[in-house]
Amino acid sequence: MVDANAPVVILDKPQMAENIGAVARVMANFGLDRLRLVTPRDGWPQERAWPSASGADWVLEGVEVFDSVASATADLNTVFATTARPRETRQPVRTPREGARVLFDDAASGLKVGLLFGGERAGLETTDIALCQGIVTIPIDPRHHSLNLAQAVAINAYEWRTLILDAPPPGFRDGDPPASGALMVGMYEHLETELEAAGFFHPPEKTRSMSQNLRVMLGRAAFSEQEVATFRGVIHALSKGRGRVLARLAAEQKPKD
């Protein structure tokens, strides 16, 4: 039986149709059916995916395709990036079991949740990890750390399934739910536009890393929709105030007749 509250599985830049099919197979094994692809290398649909799915056709038939991780996560409240290398971020790092518990509790509170997986060759970009609310790392033996895409999905899906079958009812979330990915990205872009106008990003070559750090830092706060609106109001007030200051300085420097 498919769980309507189960996490959305998002594959970023998947390369091989067979791997997509294998992911669909393990998703169906553990009751997941919502699969999203971000710019698959060979497009979609791909005929070679169906044999690898071993009958999990409904997962492949329901695939949604997006052109960016930001758009694929825009309607989700809590997304965890699955990666063996946290890379230049200071987000919470959890095991699949710990991550499944957080996602399970959030989903039980009515939130939309997801798991983001990187492509077979390059994994996830730091800019995409920065859009997530945490990192899930599988504690594999360092002597052989090669794990294929379907295996990674299976481990996380299994941990979710054990909670569905065995866990006691989760507690309710205190306070308002976190804002969607789309609202958060809008807030990030608003802030970055005003910081750029204020000359904050200096030197220019550090703009990308500074922007990523800001997104990770703000993402950890798990803003609610109201908090996003309030923060954007703060940004607007500061930018408007900066304009008034500049106008006053210009008036003061204008030669008097």
Side-chain angles (χ1 to χ4, degrees), residues 103-212:
L103 295 180
F104 184 75
D105 288 346
D106 282 0
S109 299
L111 304 183
K112 297 179 180 179
V113 302
L115 286 163
L116 173 65
F117 297 83
E120 295 93 325
R121 176 171 298 181
L124 291 170
E125 296 288 340
T126 306
T127 51
D128 295 324
I129 296 174
L131 297 174
C132 300
Q133 286 67 54
I135 291 171
V136 169
T137 295
I138 299 172
I140 55 181
D141 194 308
R143 293 175 298 177
H144 191 65
H145 53 74
S146 176
L147 197 68
N148 70 37
L149 183 57
Q151 289 172 328
V153 174
I155 290 170
N156 283 276
Y158 167 79
E159 295 295 349
W160 169 269
R161 189 66 173 175
T162 60
L163 291 176
I164 294 294
L165 297 178
D166 301 328
F172 291 99
R173 167 184 289 274
D174 293 330
D176 295 328
S180 68
L183 287 176
M184 292 300 293
V185 169
M187 183 185 74
Y188 297 150
E189 292 175 345
H190 186 184
L191 175 62
E192 290 159 3
T193 297
E194 296 302 334
L195 289 176
E196 177 69 29
F200 175 78
F201 295 116
H202 183 79
E205 59 268 21
K206 291 189 176 181
T207 297
R208 181 176 178 180
S209 62
M210 295 171 74
S211 173
Q212 290 171 2

Side-chain angles (χ1 to χ4, degrees), residues 237-254:
L238 290 173
S239 62
K240 185 177 179 181
R242 184 178 67 246
R244 288 197 296 267
V245 170
L246 293 175
R248 188 183 73 246
L249 292 175
E252 292 173 351
Q253 294 173 3
K254 183 178 180 181

